[in-house]
Amino acid sequence: MQAALSQRFIVFVLLLYFLSGLSSLAYEVLWVRMLSLVFGVSIFGVVITVAVFMAGLGLGSMFAVKRLRLHRHPLKYFAILECCVALSSLIIPFLFHTIDQWLVGLAPAVPLYVWYSLQFSVVGIILFIPAFLMGVGFPLILKVFDNTPVSLGLIYGLNTLGAAIGALLPLVLLPVLGWMYSLVFVAVIGLSVAASAFFAARRFVAPSASDVASGDSASTQLPSLRLLVAYTGIGSAALILEIGWTRLFGMIFLRTEYVLAIILSIFLVGIGLGSVLARYLRRDFWYSLLPFVVSGFAIAGLWFLPSVSSWIDLSQFDSLFEALVMQGLIIASITLPVTLVFGAWLPLFCHRCGATKIGGAWLYGVNSVGAAFGALIAGFVLIPVVGTNATIVIAAALLLLFSWVWVANKWILWLTPLFVLLSFPVLHMPAVHEIMPDVYAGTQDVYRYEDAVSISHVIERDDGQRLLLADLRRMDASSDPISVESQKNQARLPLLLHPKPTSILFLGLGTGISASGVLVYPDLQATAVELSMGAILSAESWFKPVNGGVMDYINVVRDDAKHFLISDSHLYDVIVGDLFHPDLVGRSALLSRQQFERVRNRLSDDGIFVQWLALNQFETASLDIILRTFREVYPNAVMFLDAFRLALVGPKSNSPSATAVLDNLSRLALSNKQAATGNETPWTWLGRYWGPITTDVGVIQDEWAPQIEFRLPGARYNGELDLVKLLAHMLRQRPHVKQAAIDLLVSDIDFAVFERAYVATELAHRSWLALLQQKNQEGQRLLKLAYQANPKDRWIGFAIADASLASYDSNRPVGLSEREVLQSVLKIRPDHVEALKRLWQLALNEGDSEQARRYYAQLAKLSPLDGFLRQ
C-alpha cells in the first residue's frame, strides 16, 4: 500500500489541477473566438465549442474511470495528457487553416446547410480530441487522492475555480497579444503544468490492482442507473440554460465573446464554491429545496431582465474594464445562485448514493455528455423554434423535472404550480422599449423573428417611422426620409462609377432600401445575399413602402456571404458591401484581406467593389488598418465620402473617372438620370472624391490574425471613438482639387463645375468639424460658403434649411411670417419634410383644402410611413 501523502504534496497537486482548469477554459474561450471567424456567426462558435468541449470531458472521464484500477502512475499519465492538450491546441489553428482552404474548395459543390454541417463535423472531430484528453484527467487526479481525506467536492471545486479564472484570462490577453499569441501563452501554462506533474509523479505510485481489490468495496461503488439518467438530464438542462443566457446577455450587455467569458467564469465560480460548500447542505431539506431554488432563480432572471437592461442602457462607463466588471456583477447577481446549486449537486449526489470518487467520476462524465447534448438542442432547436426566453424557461422546467428523482419531502412539490405561474409571463422577450428605454423610448414592437443566427426586430417610433434591429444593439436601418436617402446612396455611388453596369451584387440586404437604388436602371440584374431570414421577411413586408417594392425585382439568396462568394460562379460588374458594426464577433472578418480577395474574384474585368464604412464606428488606428488591408487587395483603391459614410472603392482594373460617370448617365432617360444621382448632379458625386488610399505600411486585418475587434471595444469606452479626431484625420488626407481632377480625368472644360462641387464638399466637412468643436459661428459661415459653391448637394442643402428653420423657431424675427420662412426653406430643399408638414397644417387651419392636398401628396411620397399622415 502507498504511504500517506504529505500535506505539501497534496497542496502541490491541487494547485496543478487548479492551473489545469485555468488553461482548459482559456482554451475553450479562445476556440470560440476562432470558430466565430470560421462560421461568421458567433452563436455557432459558442454552441459547437461548448458541445464538443463537454462531450469530450464527459466521454473522457467515463473512458478513464473503467481503467483506473490498472493505473499505478496517474500523475505521469496526467502530465502526458496536459502536454498533449497544449501541443494540440497550438496545432489546431494551422490545422483549421488548412481545412478551411479545403472547405472553400468544396463550397461550390454543396448547399449552405451541407457546408455548415461539414464545418460542424470537422470542427467537432478536431476539438473533441483535446477535450477528451482533458476529461481523462479528472479520474486520474481522483485516483491520486483515492485514499486521502481530500474530498471530491474540494478537488472539483478547485478545478472549476481555476477554470473560472481561465475563462476571464482571454479578456486580458486578447487585446494585448492578439488571438494566436494568447493561445501560445495559455499553452505555456499547460506545458508548465505537465512538466510539474512529471516532477511530482516521481514521488507517487498508486496502489496496485490487487490492493484496490482487497480494499473497501465502497471505493468502487457506482451511482444507480436512475441517478445517472437524472444527472445526465441535469447537465443537459444546465447547458440549455447557459446557451440561453449567452444569447440573451450577448444582446443587452457586451459582445458575445466577452459575455461568454463572463458567463463561463460566473458559472464556474458558482460550481466551484457550491462544490466546496456542499458538505453543509446534506440534510434532506436541502435535497428537496435546491431544485426549486435553481429553477426559481432562472425564472427570476427573466423577470428582472427589463430592469437590468434599462440600467445598462442608461449607464456610462469610463473604460472597457469598468464595463466588464460592472456588467459582470449584474450577470453574477442573476446567475450565481443557480450555479452554486449546480456545483453542490455532484458531491451531494455522491454522498446520497454512497459513491466515492470513482462514482463521482461517473456522475461527472454523464453530466458532461448530457451538457453537450443540451448545448446542441439549445442552439439549433429550442432557440430557433421557441425563442431565447422560452428556452430559458424550458431549461428551468427540466431542472425541476429531473430533480424530482431525489426530492425527499414530497410536500415541497406544491411549489410547482407557483413555478408555472411565474413562468408564463416571461415566455416571450419583452418589448424593445422595455429593454432599452433610453434609446428606443416611445417605440412599439411590430415584428420579431428569431432563429439561430440572430433576432430581428421591427419597431415603430411614435412618429410612425420603422427601424430594423438585429440582436437589439444594431440598428440596421430606418425608414425616415434622410436615412432612406443615405441608404440608397450606397447603391447610387457604385452604379454611377461603373461605365455600363449590367449586374450588381449586394452583400447584405437589410431593409432592402439600399438595394432600391437599382430600380432606375431598367436592365440591371440585381442579386442580394442575406443570412438573416428576419431581415428578408422585413424587407418584403414592413419596409416595402420605402424600398419601392424592390424585392419583386431583385434575386435574394439566403446564404452566408463567405460561402456565397466562394460557391457562386457568376461575375458581377458592381459589388456593394453593406454597413455593419465591425466590433461584433465575426463581423470584422467581412473587412479582412481574405474577404476582399473573395469579392475581387467575383468581379468582372472592369468591375468595381465598394465597401461602406460608418466613420463614427472607428478610431483612426482601426480605420487605417482597414484602409491598408483594402489597398493591399485593390492597389488602385480610392475613397469617396458621403456625409459621414466612407466608401472604399476597389476597381479590378480601371480607376473611376468622370468620363465613366458621364457615359453611364448618358444612357439613361432624364427622369432616371435624376433619380440615379438622387436629384443631385454627377459633379456633386464626383466632388465627394477623397483621393487614393495612402496609409503607411503596417498591420492589416487578417481572418487568422484579427486586429480591429480587439481595438474597437476598448475605444468605445475610453473616448477614442471621437468623430472630431477622425474627421480631422480624413481632411488631412484629401488631395488638392487639381490633383483630384487629374485622378478623375476631369477635362479642362468641366474643371470649373467640378471644382465648385469639390470645394463645397470640403467646406461642408470643415463646417461640420467646426460645429462638432462647438465653433458654431465658424461652422455656419463655412456652411453658407459650401451652399454658395454647390446648392445641389443634398447634405449641404438640408443643413442650411435646418439651420434656417431652427433660427426662426428660436428668434422669431420681426417682419417674417411662419409661412414665408417655411417657403424659403422649401426653396432650398423642396423635399424638406418638416417644412412640408408645417405648411400642410397651416393650409388645413386656413381651410385651404386644395393646397393641403398638394402638401399631403408630397409628404406621402417622401415619407409614406410618417405617423403625421395617418392623422
Side-chain angles (χ1 to χ4, degrees), residues 757-817:
Y758 192 85
V759 170
T761 298
E762 179 148 346
L763 287 170
H765 282 86
R766 292 194 179 279
S767 165
W768 295 326
L769 177 61
L771 293 172
L772 288 170
Q773 294 172 325
Q774 305 300 315
K775 301 176 182 177
N776 295 334
Q777 187 173 357
E778 175 67 6
Q780 293 300 329
R781 184 185 71 84
L782 293 172
L783 191 59
K784 290 177 182 178
L785 292 174
Y787 183 72
Q788 291 171 10
N790 184 17
K792 289 291 186 178
D793 188 295
R794 169 183 299 277
W795 309 123
I796 298 173
F798 266 103
I800 289 289
D802 288 342
S804 298
L805 198 56
S807 176
Y808 171 78
D809 289 338
S810 61
N811 297 324
R812 297 280 176 171
V814 178
L816 283 179
S817 68

Side-chain angles (χ1 to χ4, degrees), residues 543-603:
F543 290 92
K544 186 174 183 178
V546 288
N547 65 27
V550 71
M551 300 296 283
D552 297 331
Y553 301 93
I554 190 171
N555 175 36
V556 179
V557 181
R558 191 187 182 195
D559 202 346
D560 171 74
K562 175 181 177 181
H563 176 262
F564 181 84
L565 288 170
I566 58 182
S567 61
D568 183 41
S569 58
H570 294 86
L571 297 179
Y572 300 90
D573 293 329
V574 176
I575 299 179
V576 181
D578 201 359
L579 286 171
F580 54 85
H581 291 248
D583 62 330
L584 294 174
V585 178
R587 299 292 175 178
S588 64
L590 298 176
L591 297 175
S592 67
R593 175 180 59 83
Q594 290 86 346
Q595 176 71 358
F596 293 155
E597 289 173 345
R598 286 188 284 264
V599 173
R600 193 176 192 278
N601 292 335
R602 297 272 68 82
L603 285 174

Side-chain angles (χ1 to χ4, degrees), residues 377-627:
I377 289 295
F380 299 121
V381 179
L382 290 178
I383 287 178
V385 173
V386 300
T388 302
N389 273 45
T391 295
I392 293 174
V393 171
I394 289 172
L398 289 174
L399 288 169
L400 194 60
L401 179 64
F402 285 113
S403 300
W404 284 349
V405 171
W406 56 83
V407 171
N409 300 315
K410 299 302 180 183
W411 60 266
I412 207 166
L413 295 179
W414 287 103
L415 291 173
T416 303
L418 178 61
F419 167 82
V420 174
L421 288 174
L422 291 174
S423 299
F424 272 107
V426 292
L427 272 173
H428 301 290
M429 187 172 292
V432 172
H433 71 268
E434 296 178 19
I435 300 176
M436 304 183 70
D438 184 47
V439 180
Y440 299 118
T443 65
Q444 60 177 338
D445 290 19
V446 296
Y447 178 70
R448 184 181 74 240
Y449 184 92
E450 183 171 2
D451 56 20
V453 177
S454 65
I455 301 178
S456 299
H457 277 91
V458 177
I459 61 175
E460 190 171 280
R461 298 197 309 244
D462 54 8
D463 62 358
Q465 301 299 343
R466 294 171 184 164
L467 292 81
L468 175 64
L469 308 180
D471 291 339
L472 294 183
R473 288 291 174 184
R474 307 197 324 263
M475 190 187 79
D476 280 355
S478 169
S479 67
D480 71 79
I482 294 178
S483 179
V484 166
E485 293 302 319
S486 296
Q487 292 167 74
K488 286 183 178 180
N489 285 353
Q490 291 180 206
R492 285 170 178 154
L493 174 65
L495 289 170
L496 283 171
L497 294 178
H498 193 281
K500 191 177 181 181
T502 60
S503 59
I504 184 171
L505 170 65
F506 292 92
L507 300 178
L509 174 70
T511 59
I513 297 172
S514 296
S516 67
V518 308
L519 297 176
V520 300
Y521 293 83
D523 300 322
L524 189 67
Q525 294 181 344
T527 303
V529 55
E530 175 61 60
L531 186 58
S532 171
M533 192 64 194
I536 295 173
L537 295 174
S538 297
E540 288 178 346
S541 55
W542 297 101
F543 290 92
K544 186 174 183 178
V546 288
N547 65 27
V550 71
M551 300 296 283
D552 297 331
Y553 301 93
I554 190 171
N555 175 36
V556 179
V557 181
R558 191 187 182 195
D559 202 346
D560 171 74
K562 175 181 177 181
H563 176 262
F564 181 84
L565 288 170
I566 58 182
S567 61
D568 183 41
S569 58
H570 294 86
L571 297 179
Y572 300 90
D573 293 329
V574 176
I575 299 179
V576 181
D578 201 359
L579 286 171
F580 54 85
H581 291 248
D583 62 330
L584 294 174
V585 178
R587 299 292 175 178
S588 64
L590 298 176
L591 297 175
S592 67
R593 175 180 59 83
Q594 290 86 346
Q595 176 71 358
F596 293 155
E597 289 173 345
R598 286 188 284 264
V599 173
R600 193 176 192 278
N601 292 335
R602 297 272 68 82
L603 285 174
S604 58
D605 290 341
D606 59 350
I608 290 177
F609 171 47
V610 176
Q611 175 63 61
W612 288 93
L613 305 174
L615 287 182
N616 63 339
Q617 295 174 357
F618 290 88
E619 34 78 47
T620 54
S622 296
L623 180 62
D624 284 346
I625 289 173
I626 300 305
L627 296 180

Side-chain angles (χ1 to χ4, degrees), residues 101 113 178 244 293 297 335 337 375 435 467 501 511 549 618 726 741 779 799 823 862:
Q101 297 302 311
Y113 71 91
V293 170
F297 271 96
T335 63
I435 300 176
L467 292 81
T511 59
F618 290 88
L726 197 57
Q823 288 174 341
L862 290 171

Side-chain angles (χ1 to χ4, degrees), residues 234-275:
I234 290 292
S236 180
L239 261 293
I240 291 174
L241 185 61
E242 182 182 347
I243 295 297
W245 277 343
T246 302
R247 176 66 173 269
L248 192 65
F249 296 146
M251 291 186 296
I252 65 175
F253 288 89
L254 299 170
R255 300 188 306 157
T256 302
E257 70 180 73
Y258 290 118
V259 173
L260 174 67
I262 293 172
I263 290 178
L264 277 176
S265 180
I266 295 168
F267 207 83
L268 293 164
V269 165
I271 290 175
L273 292 178
S275 182

Side-chain angles (χ1 to χ4, degrees), residues 615-619 712 715-723:
L615 287 182
N616 63 339
Q617 295 174 357
F618 290 88
E619 34 78 47
L712 291 178
R716 185 195 308 174
Y717 291 102
N718 62 19
E720 291 183 24
L721 293 185
D722 187 340
L723 192 56

Side-chain angles (χ1 to χ4, degrees), residues 12-13 16-17 20 23 27 73-88 133-134 136-141 144 187-202 204:
F12 182 73
V13 175
L16 289 183
Y17 201 43
S20 174
S23 60
Y27 288 137
H73 302 281
L75 272 180
K76 183 171 74 174
Y77 287 109
F78 176 75
I80 294 172
L81 292 173
E82 286 290 312
C83 184
C84 291
V85 169
L87 293 177
S88 64
L133 297 178
M134 293 176 192
V136 172
F138 182 58
L140 291 176
I141 291 296
V144 175
V188 169
I189 295 176
L191 292 172
S192 301
V193 171
S196 301
F198 268 120
F199 173 78
R202 297 184 303 174
F204 176 81

Side-chain angles (χ1 to χ4, degrees), residues 18-28 82 134 162 166 186 189-190:
F18 173 88
L19 293 173
S20 174
L22 182 150
S23 60
S24 296
L25 262 293
Y27 288 137
E28 181 182 357
E82 286 290 312
M134 293 176 192
V186 177
I189 295 176

